[in-house]
Amino acid sequence: MTRPTIAVIGAGQVGATTAHLALLKQLGDVVLVDVIDGLAEGKALDLLQAAAVEGVPIRVRGTTDYDAIAGAAIVVVTAGLARKPGMTRDDLLAANAGIVGPIADRIARVAPQAIVIVVTNPLDVMTQLVLKQTGFPRERVIGMAGVLDSGRLKAFIAEQANVSPADVSAMILGSHGDQMVPVVSSITIGGKPATQRIDAATLEKLCERARNGGAEIVALLKQSSAYYAPAASVIQMVDAIVRNRRAVLPACVRLEGEYGLRDVCIGVPVELGSPGVVRVVEQPLTDAERTALHRAAQQVQSTWNQLLTLQPKA
Ligand code: NAD
């Protein structure tokens, strides 16, 4: 069986860590692309040698040439600026749209069959931009945020309840920003409602910490934003696609009427498998959670409209 090729655009913190995990998990051969001369090439060489040390038969290549992504099954877009302390993700809008828009055009030309996983922030609007610029069906343009945000919440709940994170089930939907929507009504610990172990006020504090999880790390690192958990989250999605796991994971996709929303990219549970998004899963929400999801969608739409004023062609 031939191995799929996973292309990673942007060989920075998230991109290189994603490439490393992809080879450790033997998900496919890896192509790293970055605009900085030597960066992707150098990291790829290092990764190739890591693969040899690990004894995994994975090919890794690094380049500045986008033609190298031809034939890639999955393209992960991590190119762009990351937050510095005090910045919101939306502060990256103009700069990252100027980077991601042309990348989407290249993907459409060079890897027209690829499934694209978008990572660059502001995530929901960048996903919408890639969808528009590539012209790909929504099944093949998927934003990564929900797995990460939910993972952060699971980590905090597990720590609070002194259980393994594997025993915690929790999902964060909505946008990747202030408007993320923890589905508190369905959080469970060991299959039982979380409120049996953690009081509602504490649970709300943990949700708030997850909501600010990225900023907490940026404030500590100062020079970069998080990358281990983001890369692990990308890899969970790549794994579901490459191994056709049909896993239900929260991810950013364009809605076409689900949850009462249309023509907006927002985080919802989706089933991921070899075609990309197999289906959007309509999870029961309380009225408050549904209202919060709609508010998040309005905010994404308003940031999108802001982008249109900056880039009339977007
Ligand atoms: P980084 O600065 O370490 O890496 C970004 C890389 O992109 C750099 O190496 C840069 O040279 C490269 N780049 C810029 N323009 C390019 C182009 N046109 N083609 C190819 N490469 C290009 O940043 P990072 O920490 O890896 O973060 C990358 C992005 O991911 C940021 O926008 C960050 O906010 C975002 N992010 C999103 C999530 C999420 O949950 N969705 C999580 C973490 C980070």
Side-chain angles (χ1 to χ4, degrees), residues 125-271:
V125 173
M126 290 303 116
T127 305
Q128 200 148 304
L129 179 62
V130 171
L131 187 75
K132 178 113 194 306
Q133 295 290 119
T134 55
F136 287 2
R138 72 161 177 169
E139 289 74 21
R140 292 200 282 120
V141 178
I142 315 162
M144 185 292 290
V147 175
L148 172 64
D149 296 329
S150 307
R152 285 175 171 153
L153 180 57
K154 282 184 204 171
F156 300 144
I157 290 174
E159 199 175 46
Q160 175 74 31
N162 199 20
V163 298
S164 159
D167 291 335
V168 180
S169 166
M171 253 197 211
I172 292 192
L173 309 181
S175 61
H176 187 49
D178 299 342
Q179 303 286 335
M180 57 182 82
V181 183
V183 187
V184 179
S185 61
S186 62
I187 301 175
T188 59
I189 302 173
K192 302 212 172 88
T195 41
Q196 291 185 6
R197 298 278 291 261
I198 302 174
D199 64 79
T202 306
L203 203 52
E204 179 45 41
K205 278 199 192 117
L206 300 176
C207 289
E208 194 53 28
R209 190 172 175 203
R211 200 174 277 124
N212 295 319
E216 185 179 357
I217 292 173
V218 172
L220 290 165
L221 295 181
K222 298 178 186 70
Q223 295 308 318
S224 75
S225 60
Y227 50 99
Y228 293 117
S233 305
V234 171
I235 287 297
Q236 199 170 65
M237 295 169 68
V238 172
D239 176 80
I241 294 166
V242 166
R243 302 206 162 121
N244 195 22
R245 291 202 191 277
R246 306 284 169 135
V248 176
L249 299 172
C252 177
V253 293
R254 187 183 65 205
L255 296 185
E256 293 173 353
E258 300 91 349
Y259 294 93
L261 294 166
R262 189 170 286 284
D263 292 335
V264 64
C265 289
I266 195 89
V268 290
V270 297
E271 187 180 321

Side-chain angles (χ1 to χ4, degrees), residues 9-15 33-36 39 66 78-83 92 96 99 103 118-121 123 144-145 148 176 225-227 230:
I9 315 286
Q13 308 274 40
V14 179
V33 182
D34 201 286
V35 276
I36 297 177
L39 182 71
Y66 275 87
T78 75
L81 305 184
R83 283 193 288 172
L92 304 169
N96 282 352
I99 292 170
I103 288 175
V118 182
V119 180
T120 306
N121 277 316
L123 189 273
M144 185 292 290
L148 172 64
H176 187 49
S225 60
Y227 50 99

